[in-house]
Amino acid sequence: MDQERLSHAKDVSNGDTENGQSMHTTKRRRKRNPLVWLASRAALCGAWIVRVLLYLLYGICGLILLLGRGILDMCRGLVVPLGKLKHALMQPVRIQMRNADRVQQNMRAARHKGKKHFAAALLKSAHTYLWGENGLMITIFHYVAPVASLAFLVGVVLYGAHLQYGLVVQYNGEEIGVIASEEEFDAAASEVHKRIADVELAEPLIYTPKFSLTIVNDTSDYVPTSVLADRMLSSSDAVLTKACGVFVDDAFVGAVASNQEVEFALSERLADFNAPAGATDVQYENAVTFRSGMYLEDSLLDTEEMIEKLTASERYRSQYTVQQGESVVQVAKKFSMAESELRELNPDLEEGECQAGDRLTVIKTNSFLPIQYTERMTLTSFIDFDSIEVNTSSVNKGDTQILVPGVKGEKSNVVDIVYVDGAEASRKVIRSEVLSEPVTEQVGIGTYTAQPMSKNTVLRGSGQFSWPVDGGYISDPFISDRNHKGLDIAAPAGTEIYAADAGTVTYAGWNAGGYGYLVMVDHGNGYVTVYGHCSMIYVSEGQEVSRGQRMAAVGSTGRSTGNHLHFEVRYNGMYCDPTGFLRVNAD
């Protein structure tokens, strides 16, 4: 018994061992086949994607179903009104069907009573069916009448839209024509005013019109403005005549029997006009027009009188102010005068030139119809320069100095000059070309503050050089009693020394000739300044320095008995008195 249990236990143990080995084998196989694992994962992802798509499709179907239900509910809501509409439309049909059945029953009943009763019943039934209370004709009328009325209304509107309307003008009790709008009458009234502008009867000839609407079959029925003006004048009591009106810039001048001679005279005057060579667009300044129509006899002029009026002109003296840059020749040309004529009218000119602002006597022409022409010229004009201020230590504080002179530029202009009656009226620049650019003027505003220690030290030199020490006083003048070749300026040791003007440092170092530490500056114009006995030097040879730039410090090096600056001015090697170039505390 115990052996069997042991044997069974052994078998079980062996079985577990085999199962364990099997599981280990499966795991090993899985590890050895990654493709199977990837395939399973792909299948799971695919299943998840399909599931998402199914949910999405389910949602779309639900939305469609919801919309369908909404449409169905809306249709259901229309069922009742549609049913009522159908009932209303079909009710007359049902009535007529019942009437037809009733007629048939009456006819069957009358047939058994004899032919006489049948004929009478037939007539009565037919009348009742067609013209009774709910007869067929009455029903048809109820349907047809609204449709016919609507069609008639549409037809009337369409017909009226294509009609043309006009205003019948009643003037002084007479119908004088049809116009499109009241503005045309206003234009005709304005034309009448122009024709009678120089006649005292102007106001009594203008009456208040009356307008009434009418249908116009053709646009040719409208009356033109000129014809309407003729009819307005004709309806008055004034004495009229058919003539040709002359207008200058739309202003009435007078009327003539014929305009041919007047036009010829004006054209001949233009042809005889002595325009300068190269002049173009020779024409009258004002527009001259001729309009045929009815005019007052009082405004009628004979041809010669009209020609004389239009071509009249006079010459008279006037004063002219000369503009900047104008010469005698230019002024004479401006008024189509000879230079000799202009000088004769202005004896003070003699052979000289005029100046801007001079008042000259010139000859002007005043014509009823001025003649104008255009002359193209190439002129040179100046371009003004700008001016700017620049702070500079090269100028003492409180003083100004032009550092860079301004220079005007020049440009060439192609100009069309319009002359009226020989005098320049206007000019227009066609194109320009800059010949030279202007140079900007630079005005130096002084910032240099070095001055003698005392206001009592006054030097009235040229100011070419500035005081070279921040303070100090003159302790020994030029020459003095020992042939002193410079100017000694005493100041405490270490006081700053400045360049008296811009230049190039030609020497900076120790001088064995008694100057001690020395700086020399060549200013490039023959002048050299010298700074001796310095305690320290801050510049080097070859360095460019500006006016007022710090170069050294006051000291007492070399042959010196105290702290001071020995300052010299040399011109081409010759010693000059520095005070002749310094200007300090001077008015």
Side-chain angles (χ1 to χ4, degrees):
M1 192 69 178
D2 294 334
Q3 288 179 353
E4 290 178 358
R5 290 178 179 175
L6 290 171
S7 176
H8 179 69
K10 184 177 180 181
D11 292 339
V12 172
S13 175
N14 290 336
D16 292 340
T17 303
E18 290 175 0
N19 289 336
Q21 291 176 351
S22 177
M23 291 177 65
H24 287 298
T25 302
T26 303
K27 290 181 179 178
R28 284 196 300 270
R29 287 178 181 175
R30 287 180 181 173
K31 292 180 180 179
R32 293 173 183 173
N33 294 283
L35 293 177
V36 175
W37 181 82
L38 290 174
S40 64
R41 290 296 183 271
L44 289 174
C45 291
W48 183 81
I49 293 173
V50 170
R51 188 175 183 181
V52 171
L53 292 175
L54 288 175
Y55 274 118
L56 182 61
L57 182 60
Y58 179 77
I60 293 173
C61 292
L63 180 61
I64 294 173
L65 182 60
L66 182 61
L67 292 175
R69 286 178 179 174
I71 295 173
L72 183 60
D73 291 340
M74 184 176 64
C75 293
R76 286 174 180 171
L78 294 175
V79 168
V80 174
L82 289 176
K84 290 181 179 181
L85 178 62
K86 177 183 176 183
H87 178 75
L89 294 174
M90 295 301 297
Q91 183 65 21
V93 177
R94 294 192 187 97
I95 293 173
Q96 295 306 316
M97 291 177 65
R98 286 197 295 269
N99 289 341
D101 291 341
R102 193 177 298 112
V103 169
Q104 289 180 358
Q105 292 175 5
N106 292 336
M107 296 303 297
R108 290 193 196 101
R111 186 179 294 170
H112 297 293
K113 295 180 180 181
K115 293 183 178 180
K116 184 177 180 181
H117 288 283
F118 180 78
L122 178 62
L123 291 174
K124 182 179 180 181
S125 298
H127 180 270
T128 302
Y129 180 75
L130 293 175
W131 305 102
E133 182 179 355
N134 294 313
L136 178 62
M137 299 305 295
I138 300 300
T139 302
I140 292 175
F141 178 76
H142 287 165
Y143 278 93
V144 172
V147 176
S149 300
L150 181 62
F152 178 75
L153 177 62
V154 172
V156 169
V157 172
L158 293 176
Y159 175 75
H162 289 84
L163 289 178
Q164 292 184 350
Y165 297 90
L167 295 176
V168 178
V169 182
Q170 287 187 338
Y171 189 77
N172 197 19
E174 299 179 13
E175 289 189 5
I176 59 175
V178 179
I179 58 177
S181 65
E182 293 186 23
E183 285 76 11
E184 293 188 8
F185 176 83
D186 294 338
S190 176
E191 176 73 13
V192 172
H193 272 294
K194 293 173 184 175
R195 295 185 188 183
I196 62 176
D198 57 346
V199 179
E200 295 181 357
L201 297 177
E203 288 303 324
L205 290 178
I206 303 299
Y207 303 99
T208 302
K210 295 182 180 179
F211 302 103
S212 58
L213 194 64
T214 186
I215 296 176
V216 180
N217 297 321
D218 191 352
T219 55
S220 61
D221 294 338
Y222 291 127
V223 178
T225 301
S226 59
V227 176
L228 189 65
D230 289 342
R231 293 179 182 179
M232 290 171 64
L233 285 171
S234 299
S235 66
S236 67
D237 297 331
V239 180
L240 305 175
T241 182
K242 186 172 181 59
C244 183
V246 181
F247 294 81
V248 175
D249 282 345
D250 210 31
F252 181 64
V253 177
V256 291
S258 174
N259 62 307
Q260 293 182 354
E261 293 185 24
V262 177
E263 286 190 86
F264 178 77
L266 293 180
S267 299
E268 194 173 47
R269 179 172 177 244
L270 276 181
D272 293 341
F273 181 72
N274 186 22
T280 59
D281 300 330
V282 181
Q283 59 186 352
Y284 289 109
E285 182 187 24
N286 311 101
V288 182
T289 55
F290 302 91
R291 304 175 194 169
S292 298
M294 302 300 296
Y295 293 87
L296 298 175
E297 278 193 355
D298 292 342
S299 64
L300 191 65
L301 302 176
D302 60 48
T303 303
E304 293 298 327
E305 187 179 359
M306 178 61 74
I307 293 174
E308 184 179 352
K309 185 175 183 178
L310 294 177
T311 58
S313 63
E314 61 175 349
R315 286 168 59 85
Y316 63 96
R317 293 187 179 189
S318 180
Q319 295 294 310
Y320 174 74
T321 302
V322 179
Q323 304 299 308
Q324 183 68 37
E326 284 185 333
S327 63
V328 173
V329 174
Q330 290 173 325
V331 173
K333 182 175 178 57
K334 198 168 191 175
F335 294 94
S336 294
M337 299 172 60
E339 182 182 355
S340 57
E341 183 183 11
L342 181 62
R343 292 187 181 278
E344 183 179 347
L345 290 173
N346 300 273
D348 293 341
L349 284 176
E350 297 180 353
E351 297 299 323
E353 276 294 338
C354 56
Q355 303 294 326
D358 289 349
R359 297 280 292 175
L360 301 181
T361 301
V362 296
I363 298 296
K364 290 185 178 180
T365 302
N366 184 22
S367 301
F368 188 86
L369 276 182
I371 297 177
Q372 73 174 30
Y373 60 88
T374 302
E375 192 173 2
R376 178 162 291 185
M377 303 179 66
T378 300
L379 305 174
T380 300
S381 61
F382 294 104
I383 306 172
D384 288 334
F385 57 81
D386 294 328
S387 181
I388 61 173
E389 294 182 345
V390 180
N391 291 330
T392 176
S393 61
S394 63
V395 180
N396 292 335
K397 187 174 182 179
D399 294 337
T400 60
Q401 179 181 335
I402 296 178
L403 305 179
V404 178
V407 179
K408 290 184 177 182
E410 291 187 353
K411 63 179 178 180
S412 175
N413 305 304
V414 177
V415 182
D416 277 349
I417 303 176
V418 178
Y419 293 89
V420 177
D421 267 346
E424 181 180 329
S426 64
R427 59 174 59 194
K428 179 181 179 182
V429 177
I430 304 303
R431 61 178 179 273
S432 297
E433 179 184 359
V434 176
L435 302 178
S436 61
E437 294 288 350
V439 176
T440 301
E441 178 187 60
Q442 295 185 18
V443 179
I445 305 299
T447 61
Y448 189 75
T449 58
Q451 294 288 328
M453 179 178 62
S454 173
K455 293 291 185 181
N456 295 327
T457 303
V458 178
L459 300 177
R460 304 184 185 278
S462 64
Q464 179 177 345
F465 297 118
S466 60
W467 183 261
V469 180
D470 187 13
Y473 61 93
I474 299 175
S475 59
D476 195 4
F478 178 72
I479 300 301
S480 68
D481 57 354
R482 57 185 181 90
N483 196 25
H484 193 212
K485 297 178 180 179
L487 184 69
D488 285 350
I489 302 174
T495 302
E496 293 183 341
I497 298 172
Y498 306 119
D501 199 3
T504 305
V505 177
T506 57
Y507 186 85
W510 181 261
N511 176 268
Y515 286 93
Y517 285 109
L518 176 71
V519 176
M520 298 181 66
V521 178
D522 186 352
H523 300 288
N525 53 3
Y527 284 95
V528 175
T529 53
V530 178
Y531 310 81
H533 307 309
C534 303
S535 61
M536 297 186 67
I537 296 177
Y538 305 121
V539 293
S540 57
E541 291 184 13
Q543 181 177 341
E544 299 291 331
V545 293
S546 60
R547 185 183 181 113
Q549 181 175 336
R550 188 185 71 162
M551 297 191 303
V554 172
S556 185
T557 58
R559 289 198 297 271
S560 171
T561 57
N563 294 309
H564 71 280
L565 167 66
H566 176 77
F567 178 61
E568 293 180 3
V569 175
R570 302 175 185 177
Y571 179 68
N572 293 331
M574 297 179 62
Y575 296 91
C576 303
D577 184 358
T579 58
F581 303 89
L582 300 177
R583 185 175 183 84
V584 294
N585 296 325
D587 296 334

